[in-house]
Structures are given as structure tokens and as C-alpha cells.
Amino acid sequence: MLSMTDIHTYYGSIHALKGVTLTVNQGEIVTLIGANGAGKTTSLMSVSGVTQPKQGKIVFLGEDITKMTTEKIVAKGITQVPEGRMIFPRLTVRENLLMGAYLRNDKDGVKADEEKVYELFPKMRERMKQHGGTLSGGEQQMLAIGRALMARPKLLLLDEPSLGLAPIVVENIFEIIQRINREGTTILLVEQNAQMALHIAHRGYVLETGAVTLEGPAKDLLENPKVRSAYLGLD
Amino acid sequence: MFEQQLFNGLTLGLIYALIAVGYTMVYGVIELINFAHGEVYMFGAFLCVTIINSLGVPLFPAMVLAMGLCALMGVSIDHIAYKPLRKAPRLAALITAIGVSIFLQNIAMIIWGSRPVPFTRSAVPAAFSEQAFALGSVSVSGLQLFIYLFTTAMMIGLTLIINKTKVGTAMRALAQNATAAALMGINVNRVIAFTFALGSSLGAAAGILVAMYYNTMSATMGYNAGVKAFAAAVLGGIGSVPGAMLGGVVLGVAETLGAGYVSSQYRDGLGYAVMIAVILLRPSGLLGKSVGQKA
């Protein structure tokens, strides 16, 4: 469904991605784990067209999207839930959700999807008229995910959904991610919480200083001694 | 006397407000003080009179046409001068804005000369110079009444666009988090262009109203009005649209009362004194949000 081949991305003179190659197949949850500064967020931003790669190729559903604008990429069916949630603090919850559907013109479909988001996150219905900034961290993460779902994405990119959240809230969010996947949305999940991520993912990639150093089925990565000591804090 | 000054101040204040919303909206979406906004206001007045004089178009259609041309002008300024600097330090864009302002002032001098030009009296309805109504000792002219109604209608329209339409919501979203707005598929440059178009057409309308009110316009009129309206936007809380409206009215009334009761020579100074006092007590302005949490 998505393939990144030898992606090089720079921030000014900083060589952030040094040839990242990965694939995501239809229906999968694929996780990208790694330490701070390994290039996880940059990888997602490259897919979304926010930071355009200097070299390499990104193909989505058979189409080269490497040089496309973010607007086009969202229209093709890739939506990102960015790190730190980035909800709009002074828009209401409902307005936040509607911004997620910005490129859609099918009013009835948008209405139905809004209803789906409220079913998935009943808290959002209660808080519909509140400003996004008044929500708790966990609720903001739910809003950010809900907002992305409003675009009816084929591929959902999630950047550190567990960041700064209490363990019980993280568990709840991860259950919802699995549910979204079961209902047909393919997911590329970036996480520092490797333990949680590898437990729900089908496959995983380990990113170190801008390049993939390990890949495989999530189960195997959980058993891998290197992953266990470096990312899971075990052994 | 006091009541009369209040009504005169309101006239001026509503016009300041109309210019100030242009500053504050652009600041909201790209954090730029668009110093060329005063020149768009000036062009509004000159274009309107030129359309009336050379094409024989009546006042109101000429006004609409001038507003449309200025909307286009605002979009072009952004496209040519500011868009290439979107990712540059804000200071670079600010200096560019000052440059655009000087450039446009000089263009206006080349086209219309550097001497003041009167507004075409024959195009102005006779009712505008007559008294529309009197309240005790207060006399309000037809033009003043038109200014009250027109600016109020524009402000209501603008508020509805910002709060109730999709593109208005996108403007607010963009002002709050540009990266997130882009990730929603919002075409950021198109929304910025829309913001310039809105602000510029309102600024042009203000220029036309002022030129009619004082029966004069000049290539340099944008400077003073621009600085005043900018002060009004800061007074109200830069980035806040209701703040700019309130700031404009407060500044206009303060200035007129100051001119009436203290000395008309100090009218500008008194207006700014009010602004400074407010900023000292409330650095974020009357309706501004305190900065710090840009989540």
C-alpha cells in the first residue's frame, strides 16, 4: 500500500533521514520504533509531504507521491495524527472534527463519520461545544485521532499517541487504534513506547540515526535480544 | 458638546476599526505586521475616485469595484512580496512590508501626483451632507449615518465569515496551528490569500469613507491611518478580530474627545497615550489572549 524507498530528508544541513526504506501492506498495523532523534517523526512528515525528501521515492497505492503537496496527499487518503496532538485549542471540539473533513464535500458522509467518531469516543460528544484546549491530554489525543478519521483515511499515520499520557489512558488509546485497524484502516504507528507498539503491531521497523537497522514481524522483534535490551529495558 | 464629540469619535473609530481588522487578521495567520495595508487603504480611495471620474460609474458600484480591485491588490502583494518569505525570519518579511508600503506610496504619487485630491462631490448623494437626524444637541449627518451602518454591516459580515464558514474556520485553525492546518489538507497559501483579500477590501472601503468624510485624499494618507489602525489592533489585542473592532472605536473616541477637550494639536498624541496606558495595564490588549501557551 505504502512504500518508502531510500528516503533522504534534510533539515537545512542536518541529514535527518539517511535512506529509510519501509513498506506498509493493506490492513496492517506497522510500527516504527526508535530513540529520540532517530528520525521517526521526520519519516512521517516526509510521507505527509510536510518535509519533502531530497532523494528517494514514496509510492502510495501505485502512485508516486514523493513530490506531492500535503493537500494532495491527504486527498489521496493519508492522514496524520501529529506528535503532541496539535489540536486547534480555540476551536470547539466539533470544529476541530470538521477541519479533519476539510477536503470532503459529501455532507452526509461527513455527518455519518462525525457520528462514528462520537461512538468511538463518547467523551467527544459530551464536549462537542467546548474549546479543544480545555480538554485533558487523553481527550486531546482522542480528538486528534477523531479529527484524522474525519478525513476517512485509507492509511492513518500516528505519531507518539502515548506521549505524556497516564498508562491507563494509553491502554485505552491503543485498544481504539486496534479497533480502527480492525474496521479497515491501515496504520503506521510511530512510538517510543516500544512494548505497547510491538504488542499491537503486525510488523515493526527499528530506526537508528536516520536509517532502519532491524525489521520483522512484531513478535520476532519482541524476542530480539537487541530490541529487548535497547528498547524494552529487559535482560 | 460631549455627546457630539462622542458621535464624531464613533465615526472615526469605526473607520479605524475597519482598517484594524485587516492588520489583525493577517497577523493572526502569518504573524506579520503588514505595513503596506495603509497603502491599500489609500489606493481604495484613489481607485474609487478614478473609476467615478474616468468611467462615470456611480458612487456605490465604484466603491464595490475599488474594494474588489484592492482585494486583488492585497492578494498580489502577498503573492509577490510575502509568500517567498514564508519560512524566512519574521524580520525579513517585516522589512519587506515597509518596502512595499514605500513602493506603493511612490506609485500613487506617480499616478495621481503628490498634492491632495478632493473627492468627487457630484458623485456623493446630497443626503450625505445634510443632517440625517438630531438627538438633542447632537447632529448626525447622512454620511455619518451611512458610515455607522456600512461599517457595522461589514463587521457583522466579517464575523459571520470567520465564525460560521468553512474557510473562516480554516483561517482560525491556521492561526492556531499552521502545521496541523496543513496536515488537515488545508491549502495554507489559499487561506492566507483569502485573508488578504478580505482585509484589503475592508481597508479600501475605509479609505473611500475617509476620503468622502474629509473630502480629500493624498498619496501619503495611508501612513497615518495605517499607524493609527495598527495601534488600534494592538490596543484591542493583536490577532483578535473583535479586539481590533473595539480598539478602533476606543482609539477614535479617545482621539476626538482629546481633541475637543484638551487641544486638537495633541489629538494623535492623546490617542496613543490611551493605547500606551492600556498596554501597560494589559500587555495582551483589551481582548487579546495572553501568549505563552501556543499548544
Side-chain angles (χ1 to χ4, degrees):
Chain A
M1 180 177 221
L2 176 84
S3 70
M4 295 172 77
T5 316
D6 193 28
I7 291 298
H8 291 257
T9 303
Y10 294 77
Y11 285 116
S13 61
I14 299 164
H15 197 172
L17 297 187
K18 299 169 184 164
V20 171
T21 299
L22 63 83
T23 56
V24 179
N25 302 313
Q26 182 103 39
E28 278 187 318
I29 299 181
V30 171
T31 185
L32 193 56
I33 58 175
N36 250 336
K40 306 190 298 293
T41 295
T42 312
S43 298
L44 292 193
M45 286 301 183
S46 297
V47 174
S48 287
V50 174
T51 52
Q52 283 202 338
K54 271 233 170 88
Q55 194 188 318
K57 201 170 173 187
I58 305 175
V59 175
F60 178 64
L61 294 173
E63 197 173 359
D64 187 346
I65 61 163
T66 321
K67 295 271 183 274
M68 272 188 197
T69 60
T70 306
E71 185 190 8
K72 284 243 177 66
I73 291 169
V74 174
K76 295 279 170 213
I78 303 180
T79 305
Q80 185 182 151
V81 180
E83 183 178 4
R85 327 189 218 294
M86 292 197 193
I87 53 131
F88 302 115
R90 290 183 305 283
L91 295 191
T92 64
V93 165
R94 178 142 199 272
E95 285 173 331
N96 266 280
L97 292 178
L98 292 180
M99 282 295 102
Y102 188 75
L103 293 175
R104 295 176 58 181
N105 291 314
D106 54 323
K107 268 196 176 163
D108 295 341
V110 170
K111 189 108 200 72
D113 282 353
E114 190 188 342
E115 200 51 43
K116 258 196 211 160
V117 169
Y118 293 146
E119 260 165 51
L120 205 56
F121 306 109
K123 275 263 172 59
M124 294 303 113
R125 191 196 302 274
E126 284 168 37
R127 308 222 186 281
M128 201 157 97
K129 294 199 170 106
Q130 259 175 257
H131 278 185
T134 63
L135 304 185
S136 72
E139 289 166 355
Q140 289 191 11
Q141 187 62 58
M142 292 174 193
L143 177 57
I145 294 173
R147 184 180 64 175
L149 290 177
M150 290 298 289
R152 204 178 272 182
K154 297 181 181 113
L155 172 65
L156 185 66
L157 310 176
L158 287 158
D159 196 350
E160 303 266 10
S162 75
L163 195 76
L165 301 181
I168 183 145
V169 181
V170 173
E171 238 165 86
N172 183 234
I173 298 267
F174 273 65
E175 269 167 34
I176 285 164
I177 293 170
Q178 280 181 293
R179 188 172 150 194
I180 292 167
N181 176 251
R182 273 200 304 274
E183 285 169 12
T185 309
T186 308
I187 288 170
L188 177 56
L189 168 69
V190 153
E191 259 300 340
Q192 281 207 56
N193 188 338
Q195 178 85 29
M196 288 292 289
L198 288 171
H199 269 110
I200 69 161
H202 302 103
R203 290 187 305 115
Y205 290 85
V206 177
L207 204 61
E208 272 173 36
T209 58
V212 172
T213 52
L214 264 176
E215 59 177 282
K219 278 200 304 275
D220 297 358
L221 289 178
L222 274 170
E223 303 291 312
N224 185 299
K226 229 182 110 191
V227 173
R228 286 175 73 86
S229 68
Y231 299 105
L232 303 176
L234 304 168
D235 301 337
Chain B
M1 161 78 178
F2 176 77
E3 290 84 358
Q4 183 67 51
Q5 294 289 7
L6 210 60
F7 275 81
N8 292 346
L10 190 63
T11 313
L12 195 61
L14 284 168
I15 291 172
Y16 285 159
L18 212 50
I19 316 170
V21 289
Y23 276 104
T24 224
M25 283 195 297
V26 165
Y27 184 84
V29 292
I30 53 173
E31 285 178 28
L32 167 73
I33 308 296
N34 176 21
F35 279 113
H37 190 52
E39 275 57 51
V40 173
Y41 152 94
M42 174 265 293
F43 263 81
F46 274 103
L47 285 173
C48 181
V49 161
T50 305
I51 291 165
I52 291 171
N53 292 351
S54 56
L55 301 176
V57 176
L59 177 65
F60 296 111
M63 208 168 156
V64 173
L65 208 57
M67 285 170 68
L69 287 173
C70 284
L72 215 61
M73 186 178 164
V75 173
S76 312
I77 292 172
D78 173 55
H79 191 81
I80 296 165
Y82 306 148
K83 197 175 153 202
L85 296 171
R86 214 71 97 199
K87 292 199 168 90
R90 290 295 78 193
L91 194 59
L94 191 71
I95 291 165
T96 304
I98 296 172
V100 173
S101 158
I102 296 170
F103 173 77
L104 291 174
Q105 231 177 71
N106 283 278
I107 291 284
M109 282 188 201
I110 292 170
I111 303 176
W112 294 293
S114 51
R115 317 256 302 267
V117 172
F119 201 90
T120 315
R121 286 319 286 173
S122 57
V124 180
F128 276 12
S129 19
E130 285 157 19
Q131 176 177 299
F133 67 88
L135 275 174
S137 62
V138 179
S139 163
V140 171
S141 73
L143 178 57
Q144 279 183 307
L145 183 64
F146 175 70
I147 291 173
Y148 298 154
L149 297 176
F150 180 83
T151 51
T152 309
M154 287 289 149
M155 305 282 187
I156 292 172
L158 179 68
T159 307
L160 288 177
I161 289 175
I162 292 175
N163 290 314
K164 300 286 177 207
T165 66
K166 197 165 163 179
V167 65
T169 312
M171 268 172 71
R172 287 181 289 141
L174 175 59
Q176 293 170 29
N177 194 319
T179 307
L183 285 174
M184 297 302 107
I186 294 172
N187 184 324
V188 170
N189 281 322
R190 205 177 301 152
V191 174
I192 293 172
F194 180 77
T195 310
F196 270 89
L198 264 187
S200 300
S201 61
L202 295 183
I208 298 164
L209 294 175
V210 163
M212 259 198 282
Y213 193 54
Y214 292 120
N215 192 29
T216 181
M217 66 193 82
S218 71
T220 51
M221 73 192 271
Y223 176 77
N224 211 3
V227 172
K228 286 277 179 54
F230 171 55
V234 172
L235 172 64
I238 190 88
S240 157
V241 171
M245 295 176 183
L246 181 64
V249 171
V250 168
L251 192 68
V253 169
E255 205 184 294
T256 311
L257 288 182
Y261 285 97
V262 187
S263 157
S264 62
Q265 285 184 334
Y266 291 118
R267 65 180 303 152
D268 291 351
L270 289 162
Y272 292 128
V274 170
M275 180 194 93
I276 291 168
V278 170
I279 297 299
L280 279 176
L281 294 172
R282 247 189 89 84
S284 52
L286 291 170
L287 301 181
K289 279 118 200 150
S290 54
V291 190
Q293 264 206 328
K294 206 174 176 191

